[in-house]
Amino acid sequence: MALVSMRQLLDEAAKGGYGIGAFNVNNMEQIQSIMEAARETKSPVIVQASRGARAYSQDRFLYHLMLAATEIYPEIPTVLHLDHGNSPATCISAIDMGFTSVMMDGSLMEDGKTPSSFEHNVAVTKEVVEYAHARGVTVEAEIGCLGGIEDGHGSGGSGLDHVTDPAQAEDFVKATGCDALAIAIGTSHGAYKFTRKPDGDVLKMDILIEIHKRLPTTHLVMHGSSSVPKELIDIINQYGGKMKTTFGVPVEEIQLGIKNGVRKVNVDTDNRLAITGAIRKVFMETPEKFDPRDYLKPAREAMKKVVAERMVQFGQAGHAGDYTSKPLSEMAEMYKSQLVSA
Ligand SMILES: [Zn+2]
């Protein structure tokens, strides 16, 4: 079993009316957590790596761990996706190494911080779409900018500074032919998304619904969509952590998004919280322990629990066996003969 096209997973998700979680990884334990959750819930999966993760893992470690995942879990359609590629060169290096999907985030300039022009965004995205589709690889793009900053990437500020304009989103998809579109509706990267449970003033689900009306066949992507459950923050603080009160995106809002064209839901923070809470608990309760497995095993288990829960909530659970994965060469042929379009 090889790593597969994200486009096929998203098309299937659209047919079935469900969403797919995209979970970030940096190391073996996180990959194992996701794959075990996928097997347990029979879910197709998107595993994604940021530029920071590629640097941390020297790229090839991560890639070969993902190949191991496809050998050990052959029944799970598994995508390896680049999260927030900052330039065509970054995306092309990922494709050349074996990523089956890339995000070209041209909403920011190559520095990953400065909001770009519409024209810049269209130009870099188109360049990546041409290179990727010729190889059967999927492209996610972004219009509007998310708030916050993480791993040195992001426009900073609140999620409301650069909310997506629905008319511009429509023009952008027509101009680029991207497979999936990330939109900015008030969310931010990181743990500190909202200072209260979000309502329509800060989480613009109405804009998402408007974009879906204009682009009914485009797969929408929600970034910064950890729910930041209070229970996970509490565990960290109970065992010596110092996290402030914060609110994420409630699962019911994500489910509303899924009813309105959202097919990919990015979750990272919740898993980071689960891992850190589990490790802190072992350190605090049994300070005499020093074998890393004594705390990495519970960390892995805690992340697996969160991922499995999200897989059920997003609706991808039970769908791993619905279809046979197409090889990338077949996807490339389909793009060439325009059997798949934006
Ligand atoms: Zn993101």
Side-chain angles (χ1 to χ4, degrees), residues 160 185-187 193-207 247-250 252-253 256:
L160 295 173
I185 53 167
T187 66
K193 299 180 193 302
F194 302 108
T195 52
R196 58 185 158 92
K197 188 172 184 234
D199 56 22
D201 288 340
V202 290
L203 182 61
K204 304 285 186 189
M205 295 305 291
D206 53 333
I207 291 185
F247 295 87
V249 182
E252 59 270 22
E253 299 288 355
L256 174 65

Side-chain angles (χ1 to χ4, degrees), residues 19 113 128 261 282:
K113 292 179 179 65
V128 173
V282 175

Side-chain angles (χ1 to χ4, degrees), residues 40-308:
E40 190 178 279
T41 62
K42 300 183 169 56
S43 299
V45 291
I46 301 167
V47 176
Q48 60 185 17
S50 64
R51 277 190 294 143
R54 291 177 70 188
Y56 177 81
S57 65
Q58 292 159 292
D59 232 1
R60 299 200 71 77
F61 275 117
L62 199 67
Y63 176 64
H64 284 272
L65 286 168
M66 288 306 300
L67 291 186
T70 65
E71 287 169 17
I72 300 169
Y73 304 86
E75 80 281 17
I76 305 295
T78 304
V79 173
L80 177 58
H81 173 79
L82 169 69
D83 195 17
H84 292 286
N86 63 324
S87 68
T90 301
C91 293
I92 287 167
S93 76
I95 293 168
D96 288 349
M97 199 178 62
F99 281 64
T100 55
S101 179
V102 293
M103 177 183 192
M104 176 62 240
D105 180 358
S107 74
L108 300 172
M109 297 302 288
E110 198 170 330
D111 66 5
K113 292 179 179 65
T114 316
S116 72
S117 67
F118 181 81
E119 292 71 25
H120 169 89
N121 198 353
V122 168
V124 291
T125 303
K126 259 179 94 166
E127 188 182 337
V128 173
V129 165
E130 274 168 32
Y131 190 88
H133 284 184
R135 290 155 182 81
V137 171
T138 311
V139 180
E140 174 185 339
E142 176 164 328
I143 182 95
C145 304
L146 264 82
I149 184 158
E150 204 165 55
D151 288 349
H153 180 102
S155 63
S158 111
L160 295 173
D161 294 345
H162 305 279
V163 169
T164 304
D165 171 353
Q168 213 179 45
E170 199 179 344
D171 294 341
F172 181 81
V173 169
K174 285 198 182 112
T176 60
C178 62
D179 298 281
L181 184 68
I183 54 172
I185 53 167
T187 66
S188 301
H189 292 119
Y192 300 100
K193 299 180 193 302
F194 302 108
T195 52
R196 58 185 158 92
K197 188 172 184 234
D199 56 22
D201 288 340
V202 290
L203 182 61
K204 304 285 186 189
M205 295 305 291
D206 53 333
I207 291 185
L208 184 150
I209 291 166
E210 167 73 17
I211 294 169
H212 179 53
K213 277 193 189 132
R214 286 170 180 263
L215 293 165
T217 60
T218 298
H219 304 307
L220 301 181
V221 183
M222 281 176 79
H223 278 241
S225 290
S226 277
S227 301
V228 196
K230 186 176 179 300
E231 310 85 76
L232 294 181
I233 299 274
D234 286 349
I235 293 172
I236 289 177
N237 289 342
Q238 183 187 343
Y239 295 103
K242 278 193 182 135
M243 291 199 64
K244 288 177 280 192
T245 302
T246 177
F247 295 87
V249 182
V251 167
E252 59 270 22
E253 299 288 355
I254 297 169
Q255 289 168 333
L256 174 65
I258 291 168
K259 285 199 183 82
N260 289 281
V262 171
R263 299 295 160 230
K264 175 172 180 274
V265 186
N266 288 10
V267 174
D268 187 5
T269 296
D270 287 353
N271 294 327
R272 294 178 174 200
L273 294 173
I275 287 170
T276 298
I279 291 177
R280 279 194 171 279
K281 185 167 187 280
V282 175
F283 282 176
M284 200 88 158
E285 286 182 342
T286 46
E288 71 282 6
K289 289 195 167 169
F290 62 92
D291 181 341
R293 288 170 298 188
D294 287 336
Y295 50 87
L296 291 177
K297 274 192 207 167
R300 195 166 62 181
E301 190 56 33
M303 172 164 162
K304 182 194 130 188
K305 200 169 146 240
V306 173
V307 172

